[in-house]
Amino acid sequence: MTARTIPVVLVGAGPTGLTAATLLAQYGIESLILERWEGVYPQPRGVHLDGEIRRIVGRLGVGEEFDAISRPALGLRLLDPDRRVLAQFDRDPAGGRNGHPEANLFDQPELEAILRANLRRYPEATLRSNAEVAAVTEESGGVRVDFTDRATGRTESVRAGYLLGCDGANSLVRGAIGARMRDLRFAQRWLVVDIATTADLGHWEGVHQVCDPTRAATYMRIGKTRYRWEFRLRPGETAADFRDLSPLRPLIAPWVDTAAFERLELVRVAEYTFRAQLADHWRAGRVFLLGDAAHLTPPFIGQGMGAGLRDAANLTWKLAGVLRGELPEGVLDTYETERKPHARAMIRLAQLTGMAMTAGGELGNRLRGLIAPRLPRVPGLARTVTSGESPPLRRSDLVVAPLLRRGLAGRLPPNDRLPDGRRVDDLIAGRFAILTTADLPQADKNRIERRGGVVLRAVPGTALHRWLRHRRLRHGRASAALVRPDGAVQSWGANASALCAAAPRFAPDDRA
């Protein structure tokens, strides 16, 4: 007797896997997550999500819970080796174009606990812990996954329609599809120190980056009583040299006075090699790679975890559409086409930031002292650093853009507040949407609604209206955009009726 095929099996229940399973469940797609460990990994790792990723968190239905455990950062300071401010880029903690703070600091175990609790709301998703995957084999019309129950030692198999490898940097799934990590020529050894204390250390509530080729460092407050430092290790140093607060004292003393030092509790000290790597391919047949299985980003711009959530948001609606028969199977090819260049761009930016902090020796320090204070005054640079807008997606079958005039395609619209108090994302809620500056004929409204979509008119004077009208066409300005379920613009122009006709039939999430 042939075993029943589960539509989607996911390997790994970190933030990427939990996000993907939740989004699939919202579209009614059954999934099984196989996770090696019993529960949430207790140690803090990722600590930052930007405003675009906060929009994905809201899409999962846990925005308020996340806000309760996160702390908006006020921006970024670049410091010299003596901790004097070279440059400061301020962010509004109330948020900007994304409708949320553009830098959100938190404790990863708390986030994962929220995501797991939320996943239990959906009967379509099953999380199986203590399940260690041993092999992945593609078969005709599916994928066989062999795993061991670590509690009983029993070997089991499950058949998947599609398999998502969300199993981290040492991904077994990546090896199973013959993908290799390509080194982008960046590797630095750093010490990560997490501290808990009820003492107020009294520093500016943003991220501090010490630019120093001898001992580059990062400091941030990530919670009411939680702080993190990161220090670049020198040759010969290891985490074992800093196993308790006594040897750490010279490193953190510039940030903590003597009285406060006695109230510090060491939560964790660990050594990491910050790497820049990208898998050479992210798909083989019915198997896909997401998150750290597909890319590794140095943490200098806080995009590592967020990249995995971007992967999940990009792929899941396409996969749901294919499984429900609404979209052709070929749309799955757009996942790597769109996400890989975006991930590469963010990795390159992180590399550049890391090198700016650490390169050049004493000459580099002198140059930073001359150049950095002028950076906030460079036209457009401060906005680029603080705007919360990442690069647009690459052209694909689902990002329709001319070669030389990308315009709105592949970008996220501003998450404006609507007259009824909701935001743009609340209205779109995982479906296709037409954003327009003018009223549509009733026939067009009926057409888009019959196909599961929604129409939103941008009111003059709003950020959304300005965003649409800002883009020039050969003859006039844009007046409408077709937005995909993941929030990215598929196409745009002056002919809203044509955009309505291009929207496919795609059922919305009826539980958003």
Side-chain angles (χ1 to χ4, degrees), residues 195-197 199 201 229 245 252 256 260-266:
I195 294 286
T197 181
L201 302 189
W229 284 268
L245 283 171
I252 63 178
V256 182
F261 190 87
E262 302 305 320
R263 298 167 61 187
L264 302 186
E265 175 190 349
L266 182 61

Side-chain angles (χ1 to χ4, degrees), residues 328-360:
E329 201 271 344
V331 303
L332 299 178
D333 293 332
T334 66
Y335 166 62
E336 184 173 344
T337 298
E338 295 172 1
R339 282 294 304 135
K340 191 173 184 179
H342 189 282
R344 182 185 291 110
M346 301 307 284
I347 290 171
R348 292 298 190 194
L349 180 58
Q351 286 181 274
L352 180 62
T353 303
M355 294 306 296
M357 289 174 61
T358 62

Side-chain angles (χ1 to χ4, degrees), residues 422-491:
R422 293 183 298 170
R423 291 195 176 275
V424 169
D425 287 357
D426 299 327
L427 185 70
I428 294 175
R431 57 186 132 189
F432 279 90
I434 296 291
L435 308 184
T436 176
T437 60
D439 285 328
L440 287 182
Q442 191 61 45
D444 286 334
K445 290 182 181 179
N446 293 341
R447 172 186 293 178
I448 195 74
E449 290 170 1
R450 283 196 305 269
R451 295 179 179 182
V454 65
V455 176
L456 171 59
R457 183 167 183 257
V459 178
T462 62
L464 185 59
H465 188 277
R466 290 191 295 270
W467 178 77
L468 280 168
R469 296 293 290 169
H470 178 70
R471 301 295 173 173
R472 290 184 177 275
L473 299 165
R474 285 186 177 180
H475 306 289
R477 293 181 180 273
S479 61
L482 172 61
V483 179
R484 312 183 325 183
D486 61 354
V489 172
Q490 177 165 316
S491 55

